[in-house]
Amino acid sequence: MLKFAHFNFNVLDLEKSLAFYKEALGIRPVREKEAKDGSFRLVYLGDGETDFQLELTWLRDRKEPYNLGECEFHLAFVTDNYDELHRHHEEMGCIAFENPSMGIYFITDPDGYWIEIVPQK
């Protein structure tokens, strides 16, 4: 039997990304791994309710932004506090796209990854 464990986003500025995910989504580090030589750092974020984790990978020698292609992939979160969260994301200025007919919207993180916000049904 298989079950989902984590999904990875590579980030340029780990501290900026950690602050964004804490403020925007309330997810926080649950475990970390760092290379002995300091060449990479992995930080796994959790929501405190599920086992699923978002892995943020920082590579010391990476200086240029990651090519995300056409951003045809995304991570999705479900919330029972949709309207309040939407207002918060508006204030943060991170909403990238809204689809009112579907009742969803997307935010972008500091590296340009898209995150879908879906209301609890």
Side-chain angles (χ1 to χ4, degrees):
M1 181 68 187
L2 295 173
K3 66 178 186 174
F4 282 108
H6 68 267
F7 188 77
N8 175 75
F9 284 163
N10 283 21
V11 301
L12 284 180
D13 184 332
L14 183 58
E15 297 310 316
K16 184 176 182 179
S17 293
L18 290 171
F20 172 83
Y21 282 100
K22 180 180 177 184
E23 181 181 352
L25 301 168
I27 57 176
R28 301 175 192 281
V30 294
R31 65 186 174 103
E32 297 185 28
K33 179 178 175 119
E34 187 167 349
K36 290 181 182 180
D37 66 0
S39 62
F40 72 85
R41 190 168 158 209
L42 310 176
V43 179
Y44 296 85
L45 306 177
D47 61 14
E49 293 190 29
T50 67
D51 292 333
F52 186 83
Q53 296 174 354
L54 175 61
E55 173 189 4
L56 300 181
T57 298
W58 172 81
L59 304 173
R60 177 188 61 208
D61 298 331
R62 180 73 181 213
K63 304 299 180 221
E64 65 278 354
Y66 289 94
N67 180 347
L68 304 183
E70 295 182 11
C71 245
E72 290 297 324
F73 59 91
H74 63 272
L75 188 60
F77 285 83
V78 175
T79 179
D80 59 359
N81 205 3
Y82 184 87
D83 293 333
E84 185 176 322
L85 194 58
H86 185 276
R87 279 190 295 279
H88 180 64
H89 291 150
E90 278 183 323
E91 291 168 2
M92 289 180 66
C94 62
I95 295 177
F97 179 77
E98 296 188 60
N99 188 328
S101 66
M102 291 182 70
I104 63 171
Y105 68 95
F106 293 82
I107 63 174
T108 55
D109 83 348
D111 290 278
Y113 293 104
W114 281 44
I115 301 152
E116 181 179 2
I117 307 299
V118 180
Q120 183 76 46
K121 304 260 184 211

